[in-house]
Amino acid sequence: MEKSLWQHIATVRQQSPLVHNITNFVVMNNTANALLAVGASPIMAHAHSEVADMVSIAHALVINIGTLDEYWVESMLLAAATANKSNKPWVLDPVGAGATAYRDEVLQKLLAFNPTIIRGNASEIMALAKNNTVTTKGVDSTAASNDAISSARLLVEKYKAVVCISGAVDFVVDSKQTVSITNGHPLMTKVTGLGCSATALIGAFAGVTANKTEAAVAAMAVLSIAGELAEQQSKGPGSLQLHLLDQLYALTEEVFNARLKLGITA
Amino acid sequence: MEKSLWQHIATVRQQSPLVHNITNFVVMNNTANALLAVGASPIMAHAHSEVADMVSIAHALVINIGTLDEYWVESMLLAAATANKSNKPWVLDPVGAGATAYRDEVLQKLLAFNPTIIRGNASEIMALAKNNTVTTKGVDSTAASNDAISSARLLVEKYKAVVCISGAVDFVVDSKQTVSITNGHPLMTKVTGLGCSATALIGAFAGVTANKTEAAVAAMAVLSIAGELAEQQSKGPGSLQLHLLDQLYALTEEVFNARLKLGITA
Amino acid sequence: MEKSLWQHIATVRQQSPLVHNITNFVVMNNTANALLAVGASPIMAHAHSEVADMVSIAHALVINIGTLDEYWVESMLLAAATANKSNKPWVLDPVGAGATAYRDEVLQKLLAFNPTIIRGNASEIMALAKNNTVTTKGVDSTAASNDAISSARLLVEKYKAVVCISGAVDFVVDSKQTVSITNGHPLMTKVTGLGCSATALIGAFAGVTANKTEAAVAAMAVLSIAGELAEQQSKGPGSLQLHLLDQLYALTEEVFNARLKLGITA
């Protein structure tokens, strides 16, 4: 897999996939900038009057429930249904899963349209899985990785999705393997929405890559490596956000492969 | 009071209060980043279906009417009612008070839920008070500080709130005293939404500090001092915005106390 | 014309026109910052309950359909009708024209309120014109400048508007002439929303300048020159965005005139 990842990055730069985002108000700007920096082409659109048309011309769909409301949820359901019907890859970011009953209800409806890939932090992945088994324990924001991995496996099995857990170590779980990416830097958690950027980048890679596990791994790796390079130039979260975009844009194959820390277990 | 302020900053960093923001589209991203930089944890949520639930798990609520509409106003009223009923601190930012009749109507409804703290510029504070007395003169964007202070006192008396007027000199007014903070730099007015960031930071401090006057003063002081430090590194508003976040994140007790310019009058 | 442009920039800085933006969620923050950096005063407001009142106090209105939906379209129509009725300059940014049937329907309704100036990229201008003649060929994102210029001329004639096509070379077309601006840098396309910033700046200049062709040219020139100066300091799109705001703020008459590359044809 290591050898394929840079190829996926090169493909995104060459093909510039159109990524349709229905995402939250907080991160729309830096999500668009992250997609542009890796060479993809972002579109944000949510009107009921056009959302299905927009899905049909995009290479991938990204749904992020961060600032959901009743209108936007209907947009998300229309878009997810369209993507599911036309076998278009779509990525779900269950922001705040478990925080309110409303978020959990909406997420159950979205899951019914079979997301291709799900990305969340440990708490969110555990909250999603909790809806599906009485034996999983409650949401824990300081959740241990092992707990989140078992939750991810439940989601993989139930929804036939690839599941990505982001954190100090990122995990990408499918039905056969668990891939770990040990790149990145803790300062990245002090910039709002880098998890949302990760989800959007997964969309870009899923739009051009048949192997969805590799798409998720490539996206997490490029963001984490750009982030750790950016941190070396930064005095705080303001400068990290800037340098991260520069690094996403300028990253080379040599640097990427030298820094990549991947682990694969069956 | 001077001696307590750094303690409040340390408390925000240690306790990482959850701050629920119902704020405007322009500033959501830099509001979230400012909250993260001081160590708080931002949530943005406005759906009628979850807004009361979200207030109940937050340490403080911030309502900013900058890009209000009928749906969002209902969200704000639901949230303010919930905060008021449960004695949760909430902060009101009356953006554009006096600019349209609609804003003034909405602000009157929000004031009925007794905000803990109100923060606005001189024009906004005067416009808010104008609704409550026929003797106050009209809104003036170049309002003199003294005029705004008397308006602030009217609001303090009528709503039992702490009132903060931001400007070249910031004032925090309660029923017993007026505190002035003479930090900051004029270039800060060329970055959109730093007033909104101030309001959000007040929310963070109010979430962990019993003394709400000190909460407002600590928030205004930390933002103004970070701003004047950032300006020394900046060639314009673009770089100021970046360095401000870095300074909020890295500010030390020694530098804070050396720069703080506080005045207190009965 | 060359000699007038700096005067328009100086006028914006002196008069600080109030620019009312009904724009998309992705760019609200950097649009506001671009307006502040050139000395204008941004307002974002869209509530049906206040949008006409806000138009009436603004010097210019900017409508950008980037993240339109049914509610926001109604806001746009109310605002455009108000501006049209009161002869207030308003600028239309037809983001994604041609991408969906919904966008094209909405754009036809907006055009009926006679925008003072229209700014789009080549594809968008061609899509707009396509609605008005069966002989124009379809949308093409790699459209040649000549094709877009003939589409612009159709729009000029039909709607009595000034039309601006942005791209590697920017063109401003009116009933008598075509002005070209050959400034800027390709890296600017990797920062989201600089086209939207251009439209907002056109609004600022239209708010203080009787000659609307010169208003559009001045706005495109100041943004493009600031962009090429910023690029010289930048390692990627993250730093370009920052330096662009600094350059917009600090640009001098001497540098502006030395760099300006204008062409005028009848």
Side-chain angles (χ1 to χ4, degrees):
Chain A
M1 182 183 295
E2 286 90 334
K3 294 178 185 170
S4 308
L5 297 184
W6 182 262
Q7 187 51 50
H8 299 320
I9 296 168
T11 303
V12 168
R13 289 182 180 180
Q14 287 157 14
Q15 298 190 8
S16 194
L18 191 63
V19 181
H20 177 189
N21 300 274
I22 304 181
T23 188
N24 72 70
F25 301 123
V26 184
V27 305
M28 282 199 195
N29 186 266
N30 53 344
T31 297
N33 277 327
L35 286 167
L36 286 169
V38 298
S41 185
I43 280 188
M44 273 70 176
H46 67 286
H48 298 174
S49 304
E50 73 169 1
V51 78
D53 287 351
M54 206 59 102
V55 171
S56 73
I57 62 172
H59 295 92
L61 168 69
V62 173
I63 294 182
N64 173 311
I65 67 161
T67 55
L68 83 178
D69 64 27
E70 298 77 11
Y71 182 94
W72 283 72
V73 165
E74 187 62 25
S75 307
M76 293 172 191
L77 293 170
L78 282 166
T82 307
N84 184 46
K85 202 169 56 184
S86 55
N87 288 316
K88 189 148 300 195
W90 79 276
V91 189
L92 174 63
D93 191 330
V95 179
T100 65
Y102 180 55
R103 293 191 180 229
D104 290 343
E105 284 164 30
V106 167
L107 287 168
Q108 290 307 306
K109 291 180 188 168
L110 286 167
L111 286 168
F113 292 113
N114 290 98
T116 316
I117 305 172
I118 302 166
R119 190 217 61 86
N121 62 33
S123 297
E124 290 160 350
I125 295 301
M126 291 170 72
L128 268 192
K130 180 193 164 193
N131 282 302
N132 302 300
T133 164
V134 291
T135 59
T136 310
K137 68 178 192 179
V139 177
D140 181 7
S141 59
T142 59
S145 295
N146 279 354
D147 285 346
I149 289 176
S150 64
S151 295
R153 286 194 181 126
L154 286 171
L155 295 170
V156 167
E157 192 180 349
K158 178 148 186 177
Y159 298 107
K160 313 299 174 205
V162 172
V163 177
C164 174
I165 313 157
S166 59
V169 179
D170 301 319
F171 294 99
V172 176
V173 181
D174 66 20
S175 61
K176 294 177 188 157
Q177 63 192 331
T178 297
V179 184
S180 65
I181 304 117
T182 315
N183 291 101
H185 190 279
L187 187 60
M188 294 173 76
T189 64
K190 294 297 179 185
V191 179
T192 196
L194 291 193
C196 305
S197 291
T199 305
L201 296 188
I202 291 174
F205 283 87
V208 298
T209 305
N211 184 322
K212 302 312 180 194
T213 302
E214 290 190 8
V217 172
M220 298 311 291
V222 73
L223 187 68
S224 298
I225 290 172
E228 67 189 38
L229 291 165
E231 190 278 333
Q232 295 179 345
Q233 304 171 282
S234 300
K235 293 181 180 170
S239 38
L240 180 65
Q241 183 167 29
L242 176 152
H243 294 304
L244 177 59
L245 291 172
D246 285 0
Q247 292 288 351
L248 281 174
Y249 178 75
L251 194 61
T252 64
E253 180 173 7
E254 190 180 2
V255 171
F256 178 81
N257 284 329
R259 286 196 161 260
L260 182 65
K261 293 183 191 166
L262 222 61
I264 304 181
T265 57
Chain B
M1 182 182 294
E2 286 92 334
K3 293 178 184 170
S4 308
L5 297 183
W6 183 261
Q7 187 51 50
H8 299 322
I9 297 168
T11 304
V12 168
R13 288 182 180 180
Q14 286 157 13
Q15 298 190 8
S16 194
L18 192 62
V19 181
H20 177 189
N21 301 273
I22 304 180
T23 188
N24 72 71
F25 301 123
V26 183
V27 304
M28 282 198 196
N29 186 266
N30 51 345
T31 297
N33 278 327
L35 286 167
L36 285 169
V38 299
S41 185
I43 280 187
M44 273 70 175
H46 66 285
H48 299 174
S49 303
E50 72 169 2
V51 79
D53 287 351
M54 207 58 103
V55 171
S56 73
I57 62 172
H59 295 92
L61 168 69
V62 173
I63 294 182
N64 173 310
I65 66 161
T67 54
L68 83 179
D69 65 27
E70 298 77 10
Y71 182 93
W72 282 71
V73 166
E74 187 61 25
S75 306
M76 292 171 191
L77 293 170
L78 282 166
T82 306
N84 183 45
K85 201 168 58 183
S86 55
N87 289 314
K88 189 147 299 194
W90 78 277
V91 189
L92 175 63
D93 191 330
V95 179
T100 65
Y102 180 54
R103 292 189 183 230
D104 290 343
E105 285 164 29
V106 166
L107 287 168
Q108 290 306 307
K109 290 181 189 168
L110 286 167
L111 286 168
F113 292 114
N114 290 99
T116 316
I117 305 173
I118 303 166
R119 190 217 61 86
N121 62 33
S123 297
E124 291 159 350
I125 295 302
M126 291 170 73
L128 267 192
K130 181 192 164 195
N131 283 302
N132 302 300
T133 164
V134 290
T135 60
T136 310
K137 68 178 195 180
V139 177
D140 181 8
S141 60
T142 58
S145 294
N146 279 354
D147 285 347
I149 289 176
S150 63
S151 295
R153 286 194 181 126
L154 285 171
L155 295 170
V156 167
E157 192 180 350
K158 177 149 185 175
Y159 299 107
K160 314 300 173 204
V162 172
V163 177
C164 174
I165 314 156
S166 59
V169 178
D170 301 319
F171 294 100
V172 176
V173 181
D174 66 20
S175 61
K176 294 177 189 157
Q177 61 191 333
T178 298
V179 184
S180 65
I181 304 117
T182 315
N183 292 101
H185 190 279
L187 187 60
M188 295 173 75
T189 65
K190 294 297 179 184
V191 178
T192 196
L194 292 193
C196 306
S197 291
T199 305
L201 295 189
I202 291 174
F205 283 86
V208 299
T209 306
N211 184 322
K212 303 313 179 193
T213 301
E214 290 190 7
V217 172
M220 298 312 291
V222 74
L223 188 68
S224 298
I225 290 172
E228 66 189 38
L229 291 166
E231 191 278 334
Q232 295 180 344
Q233 304 171 283
S234 299
K235 293 180 181 171
S239 38
L240 180 64
Q241 182 167 30
L242 176 151
H243 293 304
L244 177 60
L245 291 172
D246 285 0
Q247 292 288 352
L248 281 174
Y249 178 74
L251 193 60
T252 63
E253 180 174 7
E254 190 180 0
V255 171
F256 178 81
N257 284 328
R259 286 194 161 262
L260 182 64
K261 293 183 192 166
L262 221 61
I264 304 181
T265 57
Chain C
M1 182 181 295
E2 287 90 334
K3 294 178 185 170
S4 308
L5 297 184
W6 182 261
Q7 187 52 49
H8 299 321
I9 296 168
T11 303
V12 167
R13 288 183 181 180
Q14 285 156 15
Q15 297 189 7
S16 194
L18 192 62
V19 182
H20 177 189
N21 301 274
I22 304 181
T23 189
N24 71 71
F25 301 123
V26 183
V27 305
M28 283 198 194
N29 186 267
N30 51 346
T31 297
N33 277 328
L35 286 167
L36 286 169
V38 298
S41 186
I43 280 188
M44 273 69 177
H46 66 286
H48 298 174
S49 304
E50 71 169 3
V51 78
D53 287 350
M54 207 59 103
V55 171
S56 72
I57 62 172
H59 295 92
L61 169 69
V62 173
I63 294 182
N64 173 310
I65 67 162
T67 54
L68 83 178
D69 64 27
E70 298 77 11
Y71 181 95
W72 283 72
V73 166
E74 186 62 24
S75 306
M76 292 172 191
L77 294 170
L78 283 166
T82 306
N84 184 46
K85 202 169 56 183
S86 55
N87 288 316
K88 188 147 301 193
W90 79 276
V91 189
L92 175 64
D93 191 329
V95 179
T100 64
Y102 180 56
R103 292 189 182 231
D104 290 344
E105 285 164 29
V106 167
L107 288 168
Q108 290 308 306
K109 291 181 188 168
L110 286 167
L111 286 167
F113 293 113
N114 289 100
T116 315
I117 306 172
I118 302 167
R119 190 217 60 83
N121 62 32
S123 296
E124 291 160 349
I125 295 301
M126 292 170 73
L128 267 191
K130 180 193 164 195
N131 283 301
N132 302 300
T133 164
V134 292
T135 59
T136 310
K137 70 179 192 179
V139 178
D140 180 6
S141 59
T142 57
S145 295
N146 279 354
D147 286 345
I149 288 175
S150 64
S151 295
R153 286 194 180 126
L154 286 172
L155 295 171
V156 167
E157 193 180 349
K158 177 151 185 176
Y159 300 105
K160 314 299 175 204
V162 172
V163 176
C164 174
I165 313 156
S166 59
V169 179
D170 301 319
F171 294 99
V172 176
V173 181
D174 66 20
S175 60
K176 295 175 187 159
Q177 62 192 331
T178 296
V179 184
S180 65
I181 303 118
T182 314
N183 292 100
H185 190 280
L187 187 59
M188 294 173 75
T189 65
K190 295 296 180 185
V191 178
T192 196
L194 292 194
C196 305
S197 290
T199 305
L201 295 189
I202 291 173
F205 284 86
V208 299
T209 305
N211 184 319
K212 302 312 179 194
T213 302
E214 290 190 7
V217 173
M220 298 311 290
V222 73
L223 188 68
S224 297
I225 290 172
E228 68 189 37
L229 291 166
E231 191 278 333
Q232 294 179 345
Q233 304 171 283
S234 299
K235 293 180 180 171
S239 38
L240 180 64
Q241 182 166 30
L242 176 151
H243 293 305
L244 177 59
L245 291 173
D246 285 359
Q247 293 288 351
L248 282 175
Y249 178 75
L251 193 60
T252 63
E253 181 173 7
E254 189 180 3
V255 171
F256 178 81
N257 284 329
R259 286 195 161 262
L260 182 65
K261 294 182 190 165
L262 221 62
I264 304 181
T265 57

